Amino acid sequence: MKKKIFISMLFAGLILVSLSSCKKKSPLEECTTCTELNSGYTAPEYCGSPSDVDDYIDELYYNSPPDQDWTCSKK
């Protein structure tokens, strides 16, 4: 039982670290949040250089399956 609790706590900690690691690391970075309109799914926030963020958005818009319709906002 203690092993299951430990594994659950470890997993929860890893999730929190991964969610908090996508914050801007410098004022030169920007972030984007994208949502797939048909399903309502919101992808994890993506942060990087402005050109990396633009490439990420282009990848979602142009290389997703035809039944996916993405919208993104930059921060």
mmCIF file of all heavy atoms in Angstrom, residues 16-25 47:
data_model
loop_
_atom_site.group_PDB
_atom_site.id
_atom_site.type_symbol
_atom_site.label_atom_id
_atom_site.label_comp_id
_atom_site.label_asym_id
_atom_site.label_seq_id
_atom_site.Cartn_x
_atom_site.Cartn_y
_atom_site.Cartn_z
ATOM 1 N N LEU A 16 3.368 18.028 -11.996
ATOM 2 C CA LEU A 16 3.493 19.424 -11.590
ATOM 3 C C LEU A 16 4.763 20.059 -12.134
ATOM 4 O O LEU A 16 4.747 21.200 -12.588
ATOM 5 C CB LEU A 16 3.456 19.537 -10.065
ATOM 6 C CG LEU A 16 2.107 19.292 -9.415
ATOM 7 C CD1 LEU A 16 2.242 19.306 -7.900
ATOM 8 C CD2 LEU A 16 1.111 20.334 -9.865
ATOM 9 N N VAL A 17 5.863 19.330 -12.121
ATOM 10 C CA VAL A 17 7.120 19.854 -12.653
ATOM 11 C C VAL A 17 6.991 20.098 -14.139
ATOM 12 O O VAL A 17 7.413 21.131 -14.654
ATOM 13 C CB VAL A 17 8.295 18.893 -12.344
ATOM 14 C CG1 VAL A 17 9.532 19.267 -13.134
ATOM 15 C CG2 VAL A 17 8.593 18.907 -10.850
ATOM 16 N N SER A 18 6.397 19.174 -14.879
ATOM 17 C CA SER A 18 6.280 19.351 -16.321
ATOM 18 C C SER A 18 5.342 20.498 -16.668
ATOM 19 O O SER A 18 5.566 21.212 -17.638
ATOM 20 C CB SER A 18 5.824 18.057 -16.995
ATOM 21 O OG SER A 18 4.504 17.758 -16.649
ATOM 22 N N LEU A 19 4.288 20.710 -15.890
ATOM 23 C CA LEU A 19 3.379 21.814 -16.158
ATOM 24 C C LEU A 19 4.017 23.159 -15.850
ATOM 25 O O LEU A 19 3.791 24.132 -16.556
ATOM 26 C CB LEU A 19 2.087 21.650 -15.344
ATOM 27 C CG LEU A 19 1.175 20.513 -15.765
ATOM 28 C CD1 LEU A 19 -0.001 20.408 -14.794
ATOM 29 C CD2 LEU A 19 0.672 20.707 -17.182
ATOM 30 N N SER A 20 4.821 23.220 -14.828
ATOM 31 C CA SER A 20 5.425 24.487 -14.450
ATOM 32 C C SER A 20 6.665 24.800 -15.284
ATOM 33 O O SER A 20 7.119 25.928 -15.308
ATOM 34 C CB SER A 20 5.794 24.485 -12.964
ATOM 35 O OG SER A 20 6.806 23.539 -12.716
ATOM 36 N N SER A 21 7.196 23.830 -16.008
ATOM 37 C CA SER A 21 8.425 24.060 -16.749
ATOM 38 C C SER A 21 8.197 24.799 -18.050
ATOM 39 O O SER A 21 9.145 25.159 -18.731
ATOM 40 C CB SER A 21 9.131 22.727 -17.025
ATOM 41 O OG SER A 21 8.342 21.956 -17.895
ATOM 42 N N CYS A 22 6.958 25.068 -18.435
ATOM 43 C CA CYS A 22 6.696 25.716 -19.705
ATOM 44 C C CYS A 22 6.380 27.190 -19.517
ATOM 45 O O CYS A 22 5.607 27.759 -20.258
ATOM 46 C CB CYS A 22 5.566 25.008 -20.437
ATOM 47 S SG CYS A 22 5.533 25.458 -22.171
ATOM 48 N N LYS A 23 6.968 27.798 -18.543
ATOM 49 C CA LYS A 23 6.814 29.225 -18.353
ATOM 50 C C LYS A 23 7.952 29.936 -19.079
ATOM 51 O O LYS A 23 9.001 29.372 -19.337
ATOM 52 C CB LYS A 23 6.846 29.581 -16.868
ATOM 53 C CG LYS A 23 5.764 28.894 -16.071
ATOM 54 C CD LYS A 23 4.394 29.358 -16.508
ATOM 55 C CE LYS A 23 3.324 28.641 -15.710
ATOM 56 N NZ LYS A 23 2.045 28.658 -16.326
ATOM 57 N N LYS A 24 7.716 31.204 -19.395
ATOM 58 C CA LYS A 24 8.752 31.983 -20.065
ATOM 59 C C LYS A 24 10.014 31.982 -19.229
ATOM 60 O O LYS A 24 9.971 32.190 -18.029
ATOM 61 C CB LYS A 24 8.280 33.422 -20.265
ATOM 62 C CG LYS A 24 7.239 33.584 -21.308
ATOM 63 C CD LYS A 24 6.930 35.063 -21.485
ATOM 64 C CE LYS A 24 5.844 35.276 -22.489
ATOM 65 N NZ LYS A 24 5.570 36.695 -22.703
ATOM 66 N N LYS A 25 11.138 31.720 -19.890
ATOM 67 C CA LYS A 25 12.413 31.704 -19.184
ATOM 68 C C LYS A 25 13.163 33.011 -19.368
ATOM 69 O O LYS A 25 14.124 33.283 -18.691
ATOM 70 C CB LYS A 25 13.241 30.518 -19.655
ATOM 71 C CG LYS A 25 12.606 29.193 -19.272
ATOM 72 C CD LYS A 25 13.463 28.029 -19.676
ATOM 73 C CE LYS A 25 12.846 26.757 -19.184
ATOM 74 N NZ LYS A 25 12.113 26.010 -20.139
ATOM 75 N N CYS A 47 6.273 27.264 -25.031
ATOM 76 C CA CYS A 47 7.065 28.487 -24.932
ATOM 77 C C CYS A 47 8.385 28.306 -25.664
ATOM 78 O O CYS A 47 8.961 27.218 -25.667
ATOM 79 C CB CYS A 47 7.359 28.837 -23.480
ATOM 80 S SG CYS A 47 5.890 29.190 -22.501
#
